[in-house]
Amino acid sequence: MRAIIVGAGIAGLVTARQLGLAGWEVDVVEQSPGPRDAGYMMDFFGPGVAASERIGLYPRLADVAYPVEAAEYVDSAGKATAMLDYERFSRAAGGRVLTLLRPDMELAARDALDDVPAGRVRLHYARRPTGYRDGGGVVSVSLPGTEPSTLEADVLIGADGIHSAVRGSLFGPEADYLRPLGMRAAAYIADEPALAARLGRRFVLTDSLDRTVGLYGLRTGQVATFMVYREQAIAADGIDVDAPTRLRRNFAGLGPEVDRMLELCPPDPYDDVVAQVVMPGWHRERTILVGDACSAVSLVAGQGGSLAIAGGALLGDLLGPVRARDDIPAVLAGFEREWRPVIEAAQASGRRAVWMFLPETVRQQRVRRWVLRAATLPVVNAIVARQIVKSIAS
Ligand SMILES: Cc1cc2nc3c(=O)[nH]c(=O)nc-3n(C[C@H](O)[C@H](O)[C@H](O)COP(=O)(O)OP(=O)(O)OC[C@H]3O[C@@H](n4cnc5c(N)ncnc54)[C@H](O)[C@@H]3O)c2cc1C
């Protein structure tokens, strides 16, 4: 059996590995020239933990995880206003929380392809398909290049993220499915050893309205930064300026450490809308979407990487045993039936967490501080931590 997967992100790579292990021939087509090093720290908890243990990926993820002692909110003078103890956070999430960089998670998934017999999973970087077809019992993808070619397979898997081209081509326009949450997010990593050392094992987040910056020091002496801001509060020149200029205009003044990181912003940081993807159906004939392409929960839900792993593993494991083309549509329907309730629950809790992630009013900001402080009291700790577990940086 043959599969074409579009997108070598976390969901695409995990699906490819599971299919390869089950004996499928898999072509993975990725538009970027190689693995990308953009992205921020992500908390890894929820369904991805059990799934990665089941498929043997968990030890690779644990190897590249970072120790985090606390998430600390600070004012513009650097004074702590609230804190979340990560050990408590971890206990509330069942004791299995890893914190790792998005690119490290992607790399772990790619390295795990080594478990598949050589040649069965082929990665094609720097190829952005120009067309997708699903009909007559076969799927095909047109590839550009000096020698344009067409790949054919039994199933097409769109794992190409929130702006999925597979979805756009075979399911309908992005505007029908993308549900923006009114925010944009940016992330990048820059060399700043002195700041990395000062941050130690803490996430430092600005306690600010309508915008927030998170900083974490990496073992390489670099600092990982994320910046999230409400679209309605974007400075007057809107989004029609290049990302570094826009970030400097919107995040200056939140403290000297943020100002320093703004100076170090690269020309092409990760920079995108914060959105969920909500679709009435994830599959048609022999095409299925997986990961953010059909079911993005957004960074406010804090489980994007975990759900990408769990969803990819489930899809791979359900399709893996299939040996007859005609069985494919029913298996795709079965995947959606099993996985959709998990996604819908995560999306709903993400939407509820928006105010906690990015307060809009002074009252919301105060309530967040109170909630975080209350979380240090043993009695309320477990209940409160369970709530905030879903709303802290991903
Ligand atoms: C560079 C980058 C940085 C990110 N940083 C963060 C972050 O800081 N915090 C956070 O919460 N989430 C971040 N995300 C999103 C996060 O990775 C996903 O929510 C989660 O991992 C789900 O993964 P996914 O595999 O479904 O989608 P994605 O991780 O988005 O992967 C999709 C892949 O498909 C590729 N692709 C897209 N279109 C095409 C096409 N037409 N043809 C071929 N390939 C295509 C993309 O290049 C990408 O490699 C980032 C995503 C990317 C791509």
Side-chain angles (χ1 to χ4, degrees):
M1 301 296 287
R2 299 183 72 99
I4 303 168
I5 299 180
V6 182
I10 297 165
L13 290 168
V14 170
T15 312
R17 173 179 181 268
Q18 296 313 102
L19 287 178
L21 287 174
W24 283 53
E25 298 282 321
V26 186
D27 286 288
V28 184
V29 185
E30 164 62 46
Q31 65 182 2
S32 62
R36 291 205 272 176
D37 58 5
Y40 190 62
M41 305 293 287
M42 298 168 96
D43 286 323
F44 183 72
F45 58 94
V49 174
S52 60
E53 281 175 333
R54 177 168 55 78
I55 68 173
L57 186 61
Y58 192 86
R60 290 179 195 266
L61 297 171
D63 271 356
V64 289
Y66 278 87
V68 180
E69 282 167 5
E72 192 173 287
Y73 283 87
V74 296
D75 63 19
S76 58
K79 194 168 143 283
T81 55
M83 203 187 84
L84 172 67
D85 179 328
Y86 249 63
E87 206 182 306
R88 289 202 171 93
F89 165 58
S90 173
R91 274 205 302 273
R96 303 285 261 166
V97 178
L98 297 178
T99 302
L100 57 172
L101 277 174
R102 192 210 71 89
D104 286 348
M105 206 186 286
E106 184 181 296
L107 215 54
R110 200 170 65 105
D111 288 349
L113 289 174
D114 292 348
D115 303 340
V116 180
R120 234 185 247 169
V121 174
R122 293 171 290 272
L123 287 176
H124 310 271
Y125 281 102
R127 306 297 292 275
R128 185 183 163 86
T130 49
Y132 305 92
R133 247 194 94 235
D134 178 354
V138 71
V139 295
S140 65
V141 164
S142 315
L143 295 179
T146 39
E147 286 173 34
S149 54
T150 300
L151 295 173
E152 285 197 350
D154 304 297
V155 70
L156 170 62
I157 298 172
D160 48 348
I162 64 168
H163 303 295
S164 170
V166 176
R167 187 185 66 216
S169 172
L170 297 175
F171 292 81
E174 178 164 306
D176 289 355
Y177 307 124
L178 202 71
R179 301 274 180 279
L181 296 179
M183 297 176 266
R184 289 190 70 84
Y188 57 91
I189 294 168
D191 290 329
E192 184 42 300
L195 177 55
R198 264 204 315 284
L199 292 166
R201 295 180 165 187
R202 292 169 307 152
F203 271 123
V204 170
L205 298 120
T206 63
D207 187 4
S208 37
L209 293 182
D210 282 332
R211 54 190 182 151
T212 191
V213 177
L215 304 173
Y216 185 81
L218 306 180
R219 41 190 165 244
T220 51
Q222 296 168 299
V223 173
T225 311
F226 85 86
M227 304 187 171
V228 183
Y229 51 140
R230 220 171 266 286
E231 285 189 322
Q232 71 201 39
I234 288 181
D237 42 13
I239 64 161
D240 295 331
V241 285
D242 62 279
T245 309
R246 179 160 24 91
L247 296 177
R248 284 184 195 116
R249 285 186 189 158
N250 283 280
F251 289 94
L254 289 179
E257 292 172 340
V258 173
D259 289 345
R260 175 67 186 134
M261 290 312 294
L262 286 168
E263 281 170 25
L264 299 175
C265 181
D268 57 346
Y270 168 74
D271 173 49
D272 208 343
V273 293
V274 176
Q276 298 189 332
V277 173
V278 179
M279 299 179 70
W282 299 347
H283 64 97
R284 45 156 290 175
E285 297 180 51
R286 286 158 208 287
T287 303
I288 181 110
L289 304 173
V290 67
D292 279 6
C294 61
S295 55
V297 294
S298 87
L299 62 80
V300 288
Q303 297 192 56
S306 167
L307 293 168
I309 288 178
L314 179 64
L315 178 60
D317 289 350
L318 292 176
L319 264 180
V322 172
R323 290 294 174 267
R325 272 184 176 185
D326 289 347
D327 294 345
I328 289 175
V331 172
L332 303 186
F335 166 73
E336 180 170 343
R337 226 178 8 258
E338 191 168 338
W339 195 229
R340 183 177 273 282
V342 179
I343 292 296
E344 287 180 350
Q347 289 184 326
S349 87
R351 285 191 294 268
R352 284 196 299 271
V354 168
W355 73 270
M356 180 85 180
F357 191 82
L358 201 58
E360 202 172 354
T361 62
V362 172
R363 187 171 164 276
Q364 287 179 345
Q365 187 182 31
R366 287 201 185 121
V367 174
R368 181 173 70 181
R369 282 182 202 155
W370 181 85
V371 168
L372 290 167
R373 285 188 196 130
T376 60
L377 305 171
V379 184
V380 284
N381 169 48
I383 306 158
V384 170
R386 233 180 279 278
Q387 295 303 312
I388 51 187
V389 103
K390 302 215 168 71
S391 48
I392 296 300
S394 68

